[in-house]
Amino acid sequence: MAVQLLVTDRHLNVVGDPLTGWTKLQCDLNFNAPASGSVVLPAYPEVMELLQPGNRMVVVRDRSIWCAGPLEEPQDYVWDLGGDSEPGTVTARFSDDLARVAGYLTYPEPSKAFVSQTATSDVVRKITANAETIIRTLVNENCGPGALAARRIEQLVLDTVAGVGTTQTVSTRLEPLLDACRTAAVTDGLGFRTRQDGGQIKFGVYQPRDMTKIARFSAGLGNLRKVAFTLGAPTATSELVMGGNDPSDDPPEGDPPYKRVYVEVPSGQAADWYRVEKLIEKSGTDDDSQGELTQAGRLALGNDNSQASLSTVTVDTDDLKAGRDYGLGDQVALVLPTGLEIADVVQSIGLAAEPDSGELVTTVIGNSDKTTTTRMVWTVRDLAYRLGQLEAKGR
């Protein structure tokens, strides 16, 4: 089998021998989110010695690193008197190094320790730059080489600049670091990831590609396994964004009175459904001159628009392979059994392996959970309409 499992310490030094005797491996890579993996092993003492807090799992496939990151649940041990295995089995669950980045918050003043942050309620970290620069800056100053020594992730460096993204402004204050990164990434559809390269963990930003002419899936090609979609009403059609400062606070002596700023960001979907309002607080942003209040409304609509879900499971073939021909975030084409063709984004790529049955690589295109992007909603609505037309013609 072309899969090898290594355990390293937090500094990326390999400890012990490669893991052997494992019976089941599952590892899912996710777009702009940490990976999720697990492996079942015989619980020999030499194995248990490697599966320790602080260590990392490295999955090597065809001599390339498929996934590398921390052991999040190093030991889930089971022994059963009625079983046929001694000395029992242990399941180790792991992620990729993006999970380490996900563990941080955005400090308003990254150069200061938390206990030394300025005691002012409206201090935020505001960055105006292209989206890639914003994401790299947030990671660098909170957990990368530019962070306080106590907050740096071992071996983490910034990858080569990709030169992608448009100019925008992001304000953040003690929110999850990956949430702030997604805020900067969403407008341009950017992706970000970690990858182990030698003795370094490299964090980088990239622009997903339109691969619809190359990466195509259908039952006829033998690489399409499942398609499902649903459609539901929006949870908000107008985001009412309230910025400015809290009028209950007293302004510093000599300063003008605090004021509120109001911006409405409609989705345009009220005409199709009905009006639903939602209040979004954006305190600390005094005006919408840099579009921050409008951006907050648009981001909220991303969660509140019509609830569409399109999920597709595909498999690798010799002609089309995940990681080689397309990657996370890329747009690919689907030809449904009805003959209809749609395009959507690769959200997850999973590797499943067993010694006896070999490897299976599956790709989830679209989102198996509720998704609300305008493009997706209209894709699903159009799909539902056209399927209805096909059914009507067939009667």
Side-chain angles (χ1 to χ4, degrees):
M1 182 174 290
V3 173
Q4 185 182 46
L5 302 180
L6 304 174
V7 177
T8 78
D9 62 19
R10 65 179 67 239
H11 297 285
L12 279 59
N13 301 307
V14 176
V15 294
D17 297 324
L19 296 174
T20 59
W22 53 272
T23 56
K24 186 176 182 179
L25 170 70
Q26 179 69 47
C27 184
D28 298 331
L29 308 180
N30 301 308
F31 181 54
N32 288 358
S36 175
S38 65
V39 60
V40 179
L41 296 141
Y44 295 122
E46 60 269 24
V47 171
M48 304 296 277
E49 184 180 357
L50 297 178
L51 302 179
Q52 296 295 324
N55 283 350
R56 300 166 66 254
M57 183 71 71
V58 179
V59 180
V60 180
R61 180 176 183 251
D62 296 332
R63 299 183 179 180
S64 296
I65 294 178
W66 174 270
C67 178
L71 288 166
E72 296 193 311
E73 203 171 286
Q75 298 182 13
D76 183 356
Y77 174 74
V78 174
W79 176 82
D80 185 351
L81 180 62
D84 56 2
S85 63
E86 290 286 351
T89 62
V90 60
T91 299
R93 297 180 178 88
F94 57 91
S95 185
D96 60 10
D97 290 305
L98 197 60
R100 293 286 308 275
V101 179
Y104 286 76
L105 302 179
T106 57
Y107 279 16
E109 299 170 288
S111 62
K112 298 180 180 179
F114 180 73
V115 296
S116 301
Q117 298 290 305
T118 300
T120 303
S121 62
D122 60 354
V123 172
V124 298
R125 180 71 172 102
K126 179 181 289 189
I127 309 174
T128 300
N130 73 58
E132 179 185 13
T133 299
I134 293 174
I135 296 169
R136 289 169 61 91
T137 299
L138 288 171
V139 171
N140 180 53
E141 65 189 18
N142 284 287
C143 62
L148 295 172
R151 303 186 74 207
R152 293 175 196 157
I153 294 176
E154 299 87 352
Q155 317 307 125
L156 180 67
V157 299
L158 298 180
D159 210 337
T160 304
V161 174
V164 296
T166 58
T167 299
Q168 54 185 283
T169 298
V170 169
S171 296
T172 179
R173 180 177 183 271
L174 295 175
E175 70 173 313
L177 177 53
L178 285 194
D179 285 356
C181 291
R182 294 188 192 102
T183 298
V186 67
T187 300
D188 300 310
L190 299 182
F192 50 82
R193 60 194 168 198
T194 55
R195 63 185 183 94
Q196 181 175 329
D197 183 8
Q200 295 180 317
I201 300 169
K202 293 185 176 181
F203 175 91
V205 182
Y206 66 99
Q207 178 69 67
R209 304 161 294 175
D210 183 350
M211 303 297 290
T212 52
K213 302 297 184 184
I214 298 173
R216 302 177 64 81
F217 300 88
S218 72
L221 292 172
N223 56 14
L224 181 60
R225 290 289 180 89
K226 179 182 178 181
V227 177
F229 73 89
T230 61
L231 180 65
T235 55
T237 60
S238 285
E239 305 291 351
L240 309 180
V241 186
M242 183 170 64
N245 296 283
D246 190 340
S248 64
D249 292 338
D250 293 327
E253 186 175 353
D255 285 0
Y258 286 150
K259 64 177 182 179
R260 285 293 191 184
V261 180
Y262 303 95
V263 173
E264 180 174 355
V265 183
S267 68
Q269 294 189 11
D272 295 326
W273 297 89
Y274 35 78
R275 182 178 177 88
V276 183
E277 300 174 343
K278 182 177 179 181
L279 180 64
I280 305 295
E281 281 204 77
K282 190 69 175 175
S283 297
T285 303
D286 298 334
D287 57 53
D288 199 35
S289 60
Q290 294 177 309
E292 291 181 83
L293 299 180
T294 298
Q295 182 186 41
R298 288 174 177 168
L299 288 170
L301 285 175
N303 293 322
D304 297 331
N305 275 331
S306 301
Q307 305 293 296
S309 173
L310 174 64
S311 64
T312 305
V313 177
T314 72
V315 293
D316 264 7
T317 64
D318 291 339
D319 296 326
L320 187 62
K321 290 184 179 291
R324 185 190 71 184
D325 302 308
Y326 64 92
L328 292 172
D330 287 345
Q331 191 173 58
V332 297
L334 304 169
V335 181
L336 303 185
T338 61
L340 300 177
E341 181 174 325
I342 58 177
D344 205 355
V345 170
V346 175
Q347 294 288 349
S348 178
I349 300 175
L351 169 65
E354 296 182 9
D356 295 334
S357 57
E359 302 172 13
L360 176 66
V361 175
T362 59
T363 299
V364 176
I365 301 167
N367 195 332
S368 57
D369 298 321
K370 296 294 184 181
T371 185
T372 56
T373 62
T374 302
R375 175 182 54 77
M376 267 295 305
V377 169
W378 282 104
T379 294
V380 172
R381 290 184 60 172
D382 185 52
L383 176 60
Y385 171 78
R386 287 187 286 168
L387 286 174
Q389 293 297 305
L390 286 174
E391 291 176 0
K393 290 179 181 179
R395 292 173 182 168

